[in-house]
Amino acid sequence: MAAALTRLARAIVPVGLLAVLGSAGLAGVRPPFFGSAAGQQAPQERAEVVVVNGKIVTLDGKSTIAEAVAIAGGRFVAVGTNERIRALAGPASRVIDARGRTVIPGLIDSHVHALMVAEAELEQPFRNLASIAGIQSWISERAKGLPAGTWIWTPRVFPTRVKEHRFPTREELDRAAPDHPVAVDGAYALMVNSAALQAASIGPGTPDPPGGAIVRDDAGRATGLLRNVGNLLAKYRRDERDASREGMLDALARVHGAYARVGITSIGERGATVDGYHTYEALRRTGRLELRATVTVRIPNPTARERVERFVSTLPFRPREGDEWLKVGPLKIVADGGILAGTAFMREPYGVSARALYGVDDPAYRGFLTLTRKQIADAVDVGHRHGWQMAAHVTGNAGVDAVLDAFEAAQQHHPLPDRRHTLIHAYFADRETAMRAARLGVPVDTQPAWYYKDADALAPALGRDRLAHFIGLRTWLDGGAVTAINTDHMFGLDPDTAMNPFNPFLTMATAVTRRTEGGQVIGDGERISREQALRMMTIDAARLNFDEGVKGTIEPGKLGDLVILSDDLLTCPEDRIRSISADLTMVGGRVIHEAAPGEQSR
Ligand SMILES: [Zn+2]
């Protein structure tokens, strides 16, 4: 039966006559296969699933809205009026009545860290520590159960998301746990207490590690703030994870289940190890991979050309190897730090107003690259020559300049068409850079929910002018750069309180309204339309992984991934967009989430 359905899908697709048409258009066309099939074909050769009475937002080139869609062999085979599509259903077909609700292509969150979420959840469920007092009491609680001298690592804390808009001080951490080394984990910056400085032997004479900084006071004493110190403290991070392989697969499946419940049907796992890719393969082998995943693989320590060469040549897979369920994505490097921790590499100094948020004293401070320009250029060049798409984490605009230089140089030395080397984050948009990215065929992967969560804290620190184009989607769009919006989900399983929130409707609402969590609008000109926002989470996100031919729109021949929404994304009041939920999520014609009637799915 499956083979017959696949044949059916193949037979239909190349004909092209079923291309999405408005209701008037479809009436005039008689698709040859189904036209003759209506009364004659065996039931198993009919559509497996039809969705009728919908407002089907196809996102095809003409922004067609249709009433119904049919799926066979896991793919869309026809889109059109209720009448035409109903005629494709047989006795064995599932008929889903959308009851007038909006149906969109399956959402693509092109930047998540589901593996990291799963691992962290196995250790302890994520807690959002939102104030200095909250951080202190979490640490004290933790210290009670641990012998003195045992290291304590907090869940991820970004100072922009702490009520006081700063890290706790060393003294505040000392009060919470005087006898335990404590590290507050801010990813690209750590804040530690006195016991931690002592345990790690960080004193006045300790040199800064390459690409990082031990922040010191006027007297030369370490304040406890450590920027981009990477491996300096890694050995003190006790691996509390007792994650059996099986436990990990269950945890990863749970994370994917949370995505399905908000309408996400494809993810970009954005920075896994080779082992992480094998975890995905194991999930797939055991029949539990319900979403489509593209796995970006991070190059560890790309500090020398030979290291990158060695890593690339020993990879157990080839560029873009895989299929529609699981495939290898680009190779990733990390070029600078993060703007939440004050380590993004900027063209202009952070300025005196940034002092409170970041603990920056030097008025000329601009953040820094974590690799040298040469290291960035070498890593990109090696990957490029070996046929890899390259992706660089880079948040600051000066960092973006350096990465684009590297992408351009690689193409000059070794021209290879359509490689889509990608900027990840690129938070400070400007028109020239957007046009340059467009000219180089470089797409942008960026996160509106960070604007929502962080702009209230960043505006006073970095200035409203700079924030007016922070995650400036209109700038990228008008400059012609392909732009995908996504969430960078790292910890926690609740779509709205996770770090970062992975509610895709919050992401799209922010793109449309540019409203911060505090209710401000900073940079009204960067707003985009609802359809543009939806395209950035579907078809444009698909382009990042060369998938625009197989997903991202509801058109015959594409994978049967769709979502039925609780409310109309295109017309509901703006302030309701973020509360839209997924009533039904389908991947390849299979329903992987369905809210009970009358129930909010989250
Ligand atoms: Zn990320």
Side-chain angles (χ1 to χ4, degrees), residues 256-576:
H256 292 173
Y259 295 157
R261 284 193 291 283
V262 294
I264 295 166
T265 58
S266 287
I267 53 170
E269 178 73 52
R270 214 48 154 156
T273 58
V274 170
D275 208 41
Y277 185 78
H278 293 322
T279 303
Y280 268 86
E281 285 184 318
L283 193 67
R284 168 107 190 255
R285 239 187 349 263
T286 53
R288 284 183 287 171
L289 180 62
E290 296 199 311
L291 306 176
R292 306 182 192 283
T294 303
V295 180
T296 298
V297 176
R298 184 167 167 183
I299 305 176
N301 295 322
T303 47
R305 210 179 160 91
E306 311 76 64
R307 289 185 67 104
V308 181
E309 281 283 359
R310 208 175 322 128
F311 178 76
V312 169
S313 59
T314 56
L315 283 170
F317 33 63
R318 302 193 48 71
R320 289 157 70 179
E321 183 176 307
D323 60 19
E324 68 204 32
W325 285 98
L326 174 61
K327 69 173 183 169
V328 183
L331 301 183
K332 177 177 176 180
I333 59 169
V334 175
D336 74 347
I339 195 61
L340 306 193
T343 54
F345 184 43
M346 301 293 289
R347 291 177 190 156
E348 305 291 330
Y350 280 59
V352 286
S353 52
R355 181 175 181 160
L357 181 61
Y358 301 125
V360 168
D361 278 325
D362 175 3
Y365 176 79
R366 296 196 291 135
F368 37 82
L369 293 173
T370 49
L371 297 169
T372 65
R373 285 168 199 278
K374 177 157 185 347
Q375 287 168 337
I376 294 169
D378 280 346
V380 167
D381 191 63
V382 171
H384 177 80
R385 281 170 196 260
H386 281 83
W388 288 93
Q389 178 190 21
M390 299 299 292
H393 161 112
V394 59
T395 49
N397 45 14
V400 167
D401 294 340
V403 169
L404 288 178
D405 287 348
F407 289 167
E408 187 161 20
Q411 280 289 11
Q412 266 163 9
H413 298 152
H414 203 66
L416 293 163
D418 196 20
R419 297 304 293 279
R420 308 190 195 183
H421 299 319
T422 303
L423 296 172
I424 299 177
H425 303 306
Y427 280 159
F428 297 87
D430 66 86
R431 182 158 177 86
E432 291 68 37
T433 306
M435 290 170 66
R436 185 181 180 204
R439 194 175 69 245
L440 296 173
V442 169
V444 178
D445 152 342
T446 197
Q447 295 78 34
W450 290 51
Y451 169 89
Y452 174 78
K453 294 295 290 184
D454 303 310
D456 291 322
L458 293 174
L462 297 171
R464 286 184 83 88
D465 285 352
R466 206 159 12 184
L467 262 288
H469 303 288
F470 178 63
I471 312 182
L473 299 178
R474 169 63 59 190
T475 297
W476 291 117
L477 192 68
D478 288 354
V482 169
T483 306
I485 54 176
N486 50 53
T487 68
D488 203 359
H489 176 216
M490 300 170 183
F491 299 103
L493 293 176
D494 180 274
D496 292 300
T497 63
M499 179 176 280
N500 300 288
F502 59 91
N503 169 6
F505 301 97
L506 173 64
T507 288
M508 289 188 275
T510 304
V512 168
T513 65
R514 223 171 146 79
R515 200 163 287 284
T516 66
E517 190 166 27
Q520 305 189 72
V521 175
I522 307 168
D524 187 57
E526 293 289 358
R527 295 173 46 151
I528 59 171
S529 77
R530 298 172 190 224
E531 183 178 328
Q532 283 160 344
L534 181 58
R535 284 184 181 277
M536 288 184 183
M537 280 210 92
T538 53
I539 184 65
D540 293 336
R543 285 184 223 281
L544 253 58
N545 299 120
F546 303 87
D547 283 338
E548 67 275 17
V550 294
K551 61 170 91 150
T553 65
I554 299 179
E555 292 180 276
K558 286 199 171 176
L559 297 165
D561 304 351
L562 60 76
V563 193
I564 301 181
L565 304 182
S566 63
D567 207 341
D568 188 346
L569 175 64
L570 297 185
T571 62
C572 73
E574 265 188 3
D575 59 2
R576 268 182 23 211

